[in-house]
Amino acid sequence: MKSNTTLFLIGLLFTTPIFCQNNLSKNKKAVIASVENHQKELIELSDQIWAFAETALLENNSSKALADFAEKQGFKVERGVAGLPTAFVATYGSGKPIIGVLGEFDALPGLSQKAQPTKEALVNGAPGHGCGHNMLGVGGLGAAISIKELIESGKLKGTIRFYGTPAEENYSGKAYMGRAGLFNDLDVCLDWHPGDEVEANMQSSQAITDFSISFKGKTAHAAADPWNGRSALDAAELFTTGMNFLREHIKPSVRIHYVYTSAGKVPNVVPDEASVWLWIRDSKRSGVAEVSERMKDIAKGAALMAGVEYSVKLNSGLYELLKNETGEKLLHSNMELIGPITYTEEELAFANQIMKEYKMEAKGLKGEIKPLEATKDDPPGGSTDVGDVSHIVPEISLSVTTAPYLGPWHSWVVVACGGMSIGHKGMLFASKALGTTIVDLFENEKVRNEIKEEFLKRKGDEVYKAMLPDGLPPFPESKK
Ligand SMILES: [Zn+2]
């Protein structure tokens, strides 16, 4: 039976973050102090990007704000890398090791929302940060700045690099940066993502390929002389029917989803053009490649049946996340040292009210550090361009709470929380967790080697090749 004193001590251990932080080394304490010194500026920068709310490849103001801030802090900044005007690389220091941190900053269309628990757009119809990327970029930069200060004062030796990575929600920015070789010389790369729990992320993500399939036929009067027409829409329908029959003969881990992007204009004209936008996902890149080949045969068959021409265009593709358990364990140990995120009554009330407004059960906020999970064979649904980076260099991923537990993602709920203290707290935790882990990566060559060994073992003889068409992505038009 435990004595009351033991119970009291155990209680202290689990409730007092200060207790854990006493075990931090001098350099790690300096990381925490740096993030706290810059706290005001980091929050302002995140709120600025939150208000800009710029979508993929149009993030001109957001990218500039981050790059300017990095430059002001003493980083050497290279803008417009990999042919993407909003991508940049900020570097400080020299020589090995070279540690990278990724930072996204794109928003999602139509999700504009004020930082309040009831639904009201900041600007009607405008984009909003429904995936929390306003915090993502700034949180990563906060970590990089803390390391830069340690290099500057001679306490660490090597190079810290912050990557401004645009267009995560669409166009796969990091795949373009990966194809340009920008990550090649890194020893280890780290990233974080806003979420509803605080965890070193042990789960992979799905590989994906994104295709446009187009059919071209001949118009004719649909009643007077349909025999002179060849319907592109017939082909498109035969194609999707074929894809739906294919579902029975592929692995259960595969996901296929599509929309018709063009299907004729009026019923009395045989449609000469039709197109389908199709995504194929699986747990691994190899699985996606296999189904993609069968899809091409189905497109060809559909075109033959309808007597029309066809084309299959690859828009982009992403690798699954290659996990690194050694790296995630290192990150987790630092998260434990920092201790959980705690919330005020007002923040909890905000989170619970917003869930009720969304007509979902209110479950509060999860600030405690989740125990490390085992990596599951099949990842949760969803893909990220961090997957590509993880096939080039070892990658460590963190998730931090910035929104209500089990709340709706890519929604106005995430936008609202990302513009106030719930989001700010998550972002600052991310800077500290990444920063302290990077201290270990600089100081401990043995752990760096172990991370690299695991990476090489998992990768095997696979050679990274970005799944992208030649040239640059189709740049969207900026709204004037
Ligand atoms: Zn995201």
Side-chain angles (χ1 to χ4, degrees), residues 104 131 133 168-169 193:
E104 299 162 14
C131 206
H133 295 181
E168 193 279 332
E169 299 291 0
H193 200 289

Side-chain angles (χ1 to χ4, degrees), residues 5 7 54 105 163 183 209 274 318 346 369 391 426 447 452 471 473:
T5 320
L7 282 175
E54 296 165 304
F105 39 83
Y163 289 86
F183 305 111
T209 39
L318 297 173
E346 290 76 22
I369 290 142
H391 283 256
V447 83
K452 192 162 186 189

